[in-house]
């Protein structure tokens, strides 16, 4: 293949371009010059592996995608460097105080009273296959195909072969490599055998995957009077006797450190970290940050290239910069790592939020083949859902194109589904919209399970947006604290209630780790000249000249009436008003009211604190309207007693309390319209 001038120039500038080419299977957690043995990769010629991977990948779609990701990471690193360069000494000094304070707070949470054991099966899939076929013992072997490897035994790892590596690259590294197809039924069977052993030491153990688990061995150590070292040895022996497989174990004061410890003496080994603060700080001080669960390739590059952080101890030394650049939660995580802190409590049982199934295959654009793959995945997903008794409403289709671009398409349905027929029906619609396309992966995910409602009952009066828009009461709703313009909207102008309402969530990503651009052009244009939306509603209009306004006079709220009313000016009323003043016989007295002790209505006895400004205004309006109605009708109604007025007021307020509480008046009539009127208007135009 001919190389472009750009590639030649690049090669001349960098005679070893493979050194800067990092993938998931060249950027392993183990580093060549590290003393501890991790994952059986010690002694591997890392530069040779990297060169082979580079040469075998160069010019491929995967290579191009990796280069795009690397360019994105470099851009982010440069951006963060620029941010750090702008930090003044004063700002850094401030964040140093923030970091020091946070470190003290985190240190106060340290718990050395518990012992956690992390057990990790050694090359699990490969070990199971070797157990089934002893002739594979001692030979380099990988589980997977020429397209992708799931795992490799330790004989193959010495050549640089590892999980997530394409098989053709693995064959280049190890020409004698033997491929064995996957058999998850077999792996699940042996996983169940190991879990029977785990239950003996911790009935509530946490299974992280088929081949690893976390066990809280605090109680079993206390009950049997033995140490974590003895428990780890005993557990590993029991696993071998039960399943015929070896495993490695790590014991530490928390789960984060226990996982690190289980990797140190792999395979078939163990490492125990004492429950002592000094021992923990010594252990963590020289530990490379890449060994920590949750710190991957990208985060490692950022911490190293932006902040110069290579070990966990350096996170504490650069705490001011971490607090200045990262969010509060992210900075807390980094500082916790620097202190060797991790989870020690047994987490409560969490309900499943989603369930998914996906498969990778050779690149194809054959529609018939893609639909067959989709049907197979729908069948597997349905079987998993029915096994767990799950039914969901939101179905997401995941696609990875030939160029490694990842797309997701989602649909939210009106009913819950779990059958393969329903899943395939809706998934096919999503896939059809993407064709023609060349794919290498298809996945399906279901969320919004019906059991969520059982666990957390929702308010039966709460309506969905669809129900709101299709309801006959839509025009009567008060949305965003705005007053609706009335109920003159016909239901025919809105969405037909009989139609199946489907919402589509469409997003596309380039598989970058720092964010996925969302592409959605289906949003309506809200810049309509006849309507405008605002986040804040205008204040209540001023009281008209012929209306009354409340005034606070000497801790008493009095009604002031304009000229021409039955009493001129402001009449001051003393706090010690007698009952006769409350319900007087004169025209002036009986229509006035005050707030006795700035709390209680003198006419009806309703009690409202001064902070209830809107409610008190409404209350005064109610009494004013009552008086005006009497004057206009000219009726000689009997004067209600104090108790009768109270009952009437409470009844009227109870009937319209919710609506009146949120109701606002507009500064200018017609300036704002409710959202339901907006949609109804658009439907009429269509």
């Amino acid at each position: 293949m001919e190389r472009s001038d750009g590639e030649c120039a690049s090669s001349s500038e960098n005679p070893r371009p493979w050194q800067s080419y990092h993938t998931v299977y060249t950027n392993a957690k183990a580093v060549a010059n590290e003393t501890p043995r991790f994952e059986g990769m010690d002694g591997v010629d890392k530069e040779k592996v990297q060169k082979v991977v580079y040469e075998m990948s160069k010019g491929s779609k995967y290579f191009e995608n990796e280069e795009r990701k690397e360019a994105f990471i470099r851009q982010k690193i440069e951006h963060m460097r620029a941010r750090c360069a702008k930090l003044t000494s004063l700002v850094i000094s401030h964040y140093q105080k923030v970091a020091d304070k946070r470190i003290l707070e985190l240190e106060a949470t340290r718990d050395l009273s518990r012992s956690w054991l992390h057990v990790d099966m050694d090359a699990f899939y490969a070990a199971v296959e070797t157990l089934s076929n002893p002739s594979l013992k001692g030979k380099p072997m990988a589980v997977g195909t020429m397209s992708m490897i799931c795992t490799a035994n330790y004989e193959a790892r010495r050549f640089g072969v590892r999980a997530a590596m394409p098989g053709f690259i693995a064959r280049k590294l190890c020409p004698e490599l033997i491929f064995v197809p996957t058999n998850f039924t077999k792996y699940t069977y042996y996983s169940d055998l190991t879990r029977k052993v785990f239950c003996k030491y911790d009935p509530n153990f946490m299974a992280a995957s088929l081949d690893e688990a976390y066990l809280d061995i605090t109680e079993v150590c206390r009950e049997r009077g033995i140490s974590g070292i003895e428990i780890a040895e005993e557990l590993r022996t029991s696993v071998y006797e039960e399943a015929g497989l070896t495993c490695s174990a790590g014991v530490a004061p928390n789960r984060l450190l226990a996982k690190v410890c289980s990797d140190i003496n792999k395979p078939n080994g163990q490492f125990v970290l004492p429950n002592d603060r000094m021992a923990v700080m010594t252990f963590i001080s020289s530990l490379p940050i890449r060994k920590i669960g949750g710190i991957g390739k990208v985060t490692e590059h950022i911490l190293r290239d932006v902040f110069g952080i290579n070990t966990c101890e350096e996170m504490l030394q650069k705490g001011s910069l971490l607090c200045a650049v990262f969010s509060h939660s992210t900075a807390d995580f980094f500082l916790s790592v620097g202190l060797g802190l991790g989870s020690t409590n047994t987490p409560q049982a969490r309900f499943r939020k989603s369930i998914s199934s996906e498969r990778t295959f050779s690149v194809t654009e054959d529609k018939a083949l893609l639909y067959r793959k989709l049907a197979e995945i729908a069948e597997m997903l349905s079987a998993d859902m029915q096994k767990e008794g799950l039914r969901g409403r939101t179905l997401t289709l995941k696609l990875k194109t030939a160029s490694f671009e990842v797309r997701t398409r989602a649909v939210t349905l009106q009913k819950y589904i779990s059958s393969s027929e329903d899943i395939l029906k809706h998934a096919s619609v999503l896939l059809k919209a993407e064709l023609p396309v060349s794919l290498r992966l298809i996945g399906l995910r279901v969320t919004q399970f019906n059991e969520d409602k059982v666990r957390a009952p929702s308010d039966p009066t709460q309506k969905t947006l669809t129900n709101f828009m299709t309801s006959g009461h839509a025009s009567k709703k008060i949305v965003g604290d705005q007053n609706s313009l009335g109920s003159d909207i016909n239901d025919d102008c809105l969405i037909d209630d009989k139609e199946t309402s489907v919402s589509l969530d469409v997003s596309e990503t380039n598989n970058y780790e720092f964010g996925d651009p969302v592409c959605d052009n289906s949003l309506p244009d809200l810049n309509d000249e006849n309507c405008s939306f605002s986040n804040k509603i205008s204040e209540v209009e001023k009281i008209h000249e012929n209306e009354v306004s409340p005034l606070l006079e000497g801790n008493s709220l009095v009604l002031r009436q304009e000229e021409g009313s039955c009493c001129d000016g402001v009449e001051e009323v003393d706090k010690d008003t007698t009952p006769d003043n409350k319900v007087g016989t004169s025209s002036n007295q009986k229509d006035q009211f005050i707030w006795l002790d700035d709390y209680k209505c003198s006419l009806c006895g309703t009690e409202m604190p001064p902070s209830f400004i809107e409610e008190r205004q409404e209350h005064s309006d109610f009494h004013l309207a009552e008086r005006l109605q009497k004057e206009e009708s000219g009726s000689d109604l009997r004067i209600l007693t104090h108790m009768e007025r109270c009952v009437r007021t409470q009844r009227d307020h109870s009937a319209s309390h919710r609506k009146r509480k949120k109701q606002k008046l507009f500064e200018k009539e017609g300036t704002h319209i409710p959202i339901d009127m907006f949609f109804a208007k658009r439907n009429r135009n269509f």
Side-chain angles (χ1 to χ4, degrees):
M1 181 179 66
E2 295 184 1
R3 302 173 65 184
S4 64
D5 295 338
E7 287 180 333
C8 292
S10 176
S11 297
S12 62
E13 294 174 1
N14 183 11
R16 295 183 176 183
W18 56 84
Q19 291 182 336
S20 60
Y21 179 63
H22 301 286
T23 68
V24 68
Y25 40 84
T26 58
N27 191 40
K29 288 191 175 184
V31 182
N33 59 0
E34 290 180 10
T35 302
R37 296 183 296 133
F38 285 80
E39 296 292 333
M41 299 291 288
D42 54 310
V44 175
D45 188 344
K46 298 298 177 63
E47 185 170 353
K48 177 185 175 182
V49 172
Q50 217 159 356
K51 182 178 180 180
V52 170
V53 171
Y54 177 81
E55 295 294 339
M56 295 289 291
S57 304
K58 186 172 55 178
S60 67
K61 295 294 184 181
Y62 179 83
F63 185 87
E64 294 174 0
N65 187 60
E66 288 295 312
E67 284 192 323
R68 286 195 296 267
K69 290 163 61 176
E70 285 292 330
F72 181 81
I73 295 172
R74 287 194 298 269
Q75 182 181 3
K76 187 170 184 66
I77 288 175
E78 291 302 321
H79 175 69
M80 297 186 74
R81 281 176 176 170
R83 288 181 58 189
C84 291
K86 293 179 181 178
L87 296 176
T88 64
S89 57
L90 185 63
V91 172
I92 294 177
S93 176
H94 165 72
Y95 280 106
Q96 184 62 57
K97 295 178 181 179
V98 172
D100 292 341
K101 179 182 177 182
R102 191 57 188 145
I103 288 173
L104 291 176
E105 294 172 348
L106 291 171
E107 180 62 42
T109 66
R110 187 184 297 276
D111 183 7
L112 298 173
S113 64
R114 309 203 70 79
S115 294
W116 280 90
L117 183 148
H118 179 260
V119 56
D120 191 2
M121 305 302 296
D122 299 325
F124 182 56
Y125 296 172
V128 170
E129 295 297 342
T130 302
L131 192 64
S132 303
N133 183 6
S135 65
L136 296 173
K137 189 173 183 179
K139 300 177 182 178
M141 180 264 291
V143 177
T145 65
M146 290 292 287
S147 297
M148 187 59 61
I149 292 176
C150 292
T151 190
N153 62 8
Y154 290 97
E155 287 77 10
R157 295 187 188 190
R158 296 193 183 98
F159 294 88
V161 179
R162 57 163 295 168
M165 176 179 283
F168 63 90
I169 294 180
R171 178 61 64 81
K172 181 71 174 180
L173 292 170
C174 179
E176 299 177 355
L177 186 65
I178 301 172
F179 288 97
V180 178
T182 57
N183 188 334
F184 284 95
T185 302
K186 188 190 302 182
Y187 308 148
T188 303
Y189 169 78
Y190 280 96
S191 177
D192 291 340
L193 293 180
T194 62
R195 293 180 180 184
K196 290 180 181 178
V197 177
F198 302 159
C199 285
K200 297 178 182 178
Y201 299 90
D202 180 11
N204 300 315
F205 74 91
M206 298 171 53
S209 63
L210 286 176
D211 64 339
E212 64 176 318
Y214 293 91
L215 289 76
D216 185 353
I217 59 173
T218 307
E219 299 302 326
V220 69
C221 288
R222 183 182 297 115
E223 292 173 359
R224 297 175 56 182
I226 57 179
S227 65
I229 298 177
E230 296 172 286
I231 290 293
E233 291 177 346
E234 184 180 305
L235 181 141
R236 290 172 46 238
T237 301
S238 299
V239 168
Y240 184 78
E241 293 175 351
E242 181 72 23
L245 303 171
T246 63
C247 63
S248 299
V251 180
N254 57 62
R255 293 197 292 273
L256 180 140
L257 295 177
K259 181 172 178 59
V260 175
C261 291
S262 66
D263 274 347
I264 292 179
N265 287 322
K266 264 186 168 291
N268 196 21
Q270 64 184 55
F271 183 89
V272 178
L273 182 63
N275 286 34
D276 177 75
R277 184 184 182 280
M278 184 61 67
V280 170
M281 296 305 293
T282 302
F283 176 81
I284 206 76
S285 62
S286 60
L287 190 69
I289 56 176
R290 189 70 167 89
K291 305 295 187 220
I292 301 298
I295 298 181
K297 179 184 71 173
V298 175
T299 306
E300 179 190 25
H301 283 330
I302 290 175
L303 292 176
R304 183 189 64 211
D305 298 341
V306 177
F307 305 97
I309 296 176
N310 293 289
T311 65
C312 296
E313 184 182 39
E314 291 173 342
M315 289 185 175
L316 298 181
Q317 300 170 0
K318 305 291 180 66
S320 59
L321 293 177
L322 296 177
C323 290
V325 174
F326 292 104
S327 66
H328 179 77
S329 58
T330 303
D332 271 6
F333 170 72
F334 290 145
L335 295 177
S336 297
V337 169
L339 292 169
L341 300 177
S343 301
T344 59
N345 61 314
T346 301
Q348 299 296 323
R350 294 183 298 177
F351 294 97
R352 180 188 284 274
K353 296 295 183 181
S354 66
I355 188 169
S356 62
S357 181
E358 66 181 39
R359 286 296 179 267
T360 303
F361 43 84
S362 300
V363 176
T364 180
E365 57 182 349
D366 186 339
K367 294 182 180 180
L369 179 58
L370 292 176
Y371 278 114
R372 284 201 300 271
K373 293 289 184 183
L374 186 67
E376 293 173 3
I377 297 171
E379 188 68 37
M380 291 187 291
L381 180 59
S382 175
D384 292 340
M385 292 181 66
Q386 293 178 13
K387 182 179 179 181
E388 299 190 30
L390 299 175
R391 298 170 66 243
R393 286 184 58 215
T394 299
L395 176 67
T396 302
L397 172 70
K398 175 183 176 182
L399 305 174
K400 183 180 288 186
T401 66
S403 59
F404 290 88
E405 174 192 3
V406 178
R407 305 176 185 177
T408 58
R409 301 290 185 265
V411 58
T412 298
L413 311 169
Q414 285 288 333
K415 66 175 184 177
Y416 294 94
I417 62 173
S418 65
S419 67
S420 58
E421 293 79 9
D422 288 337
I423 294 174
L424 181 60
K425 171 186 174 183
H426 297 289
S428 298
V429 174
L430 297 176
L431 177 60
K432 183 179 180 180
E434 302 302 311
L435 298 177
V437 64
S438 183
L439 300 177
R440 61 173 66 246
L441 177 145
I442 295 179
L444 291 173
R445 181 175 72 250
V446 175
T447 54
Q448 283 191 278
F449 298 130
N450 58 335
E451 65 175 18
D452 292 340
K453 292 188 175 182
V454 177
R455 292 196 305 269
S458 59
D459 184 358
T461 64
Q462 182 68 42
K463 290 189 175 183
T464 64
L465 182 61
T466 300
N467 289 338
F468 170 76
M469 296 306 302
T470 58
S471 171
H473 300 286
S475 59
K476 301 177 184 178
K477 288 286 183 181
I478 299 173
V479 181
D481 288 341
Q482 298 186 20
N483 186 23
S484 178
L485 296 184
S487 58
D488 57 344
I489 304 176
N490 193 308
D491 290 344
D492 296 337
C493 298
L494 303 176
I495 301 173
D496 188 356
D497 197 25
K498 296 181 180 179
E499 289 186 26
T500 300
S501 176
V502 177
S503 65
L504 290 176
D505 178 18
V506 183
S507 63
E508 294 189 11
T509 81
N510 286 327
N511 204 22
Y512 295 149
E513 296 192 36
F514 283 96
D516 301 328
V518 178
C519 301
D520 191 350
N521 299 323
S522 60
L523 295 177
D525 183 12
L526 297 182
N527 297 324
D528 195 312
E529 60 181 2
N530 295 324
C531 65
S532 88
F533 295 92
S534 62
N535 292 331
K536 294 183 179 180
I537 307 303
S538 59
E539 296 179 355
V540 180
E541 289 182 343
K542 295 181 180 179
I543 306 299
H544 296 293
E545 291 183 358
N546 58 348
E547 293 181 346
V548 297
S549 61
L551 295 176
L552 193 62
E553 293 274 302
N555 294 331
S556 298
L557 192 63
V558 188
L559 294 180
R560 180 179 66 185
Q561 300 182 347
E562 303 294 338
E563 290 186 27
S565 61
C566 55
C567 59
D568 299 331
V570 177
E571 178 181 352
E572 295 202 29
V573 183
D574 186 58
K575 288 183 182 180
D576 300 324
T577 306
T578 62
D580 293 338
N581 292 58
K582 294 181 185 179
V583 188
T585 56
S586 69
S587 157
N588 291 346
Q589 289 178 332
K590 73 177 182 179
D591 294 325
Q592 292 180 359
F593 80 92
I594 62 173
W595 294 103
L596 295 177
D597 296 327
D598 200 19
Y599 192 82
K600 186 175 183 178
C601 175
S602 61
L603 295 181
C604 64
T606 300
E607 297 179 350
M608 289 189 186
S611 59
F612 282 43
I613 298 175
E614 293 184 9
E615 287 79 358
R616 289 172 69 142
Q617 176 63 53
E618 291 171 359
H619 192 77
S620 66
D621 291 345
F622 166 76
H623 283 298
L624 175 64
E626 185 181 48
R627 181 180 64 80
L628 293 176
Q629 184 178 10
K630 290 179 182 178
E631 291 180 354
E632 291 176 0
S633 62
S635 59
D636 188 17
L637 299 176
R638 64 182 182 86
I639 300 175
L640 297 177
T641 64
H642 169 70
M643 185 57 66
E644 288 173 334
R645 288 178 181 269
C646 182
V647 172
R648 179 178 177 180
T649 301
Q650 293 296 333
R651 183 180 67 250
D652 293 341
H653 278 217
S654 175
S656 59
H657 173 70
R658 181 167 298 182
K659 180 176 180 180
R660 294 206 321 270
K661 185 175 181 180
K662 294 185 177 180
Q663 188 172 6
K664 302 287 184 179
L665 299 176
F666 298 109
E667 291 183 357
K668 295 182 179 180
E669 185 177 1
T671 301
H672 304 282
I673 67 172
I675 190 170
D676 54 306
M677 285 287 290
F678 168 74
F679 282 110
K681 173 181 174 296
R682 289 181 63 88
N683 288 336
R684 285 198 300 270
N685 291 339
F686 292 151

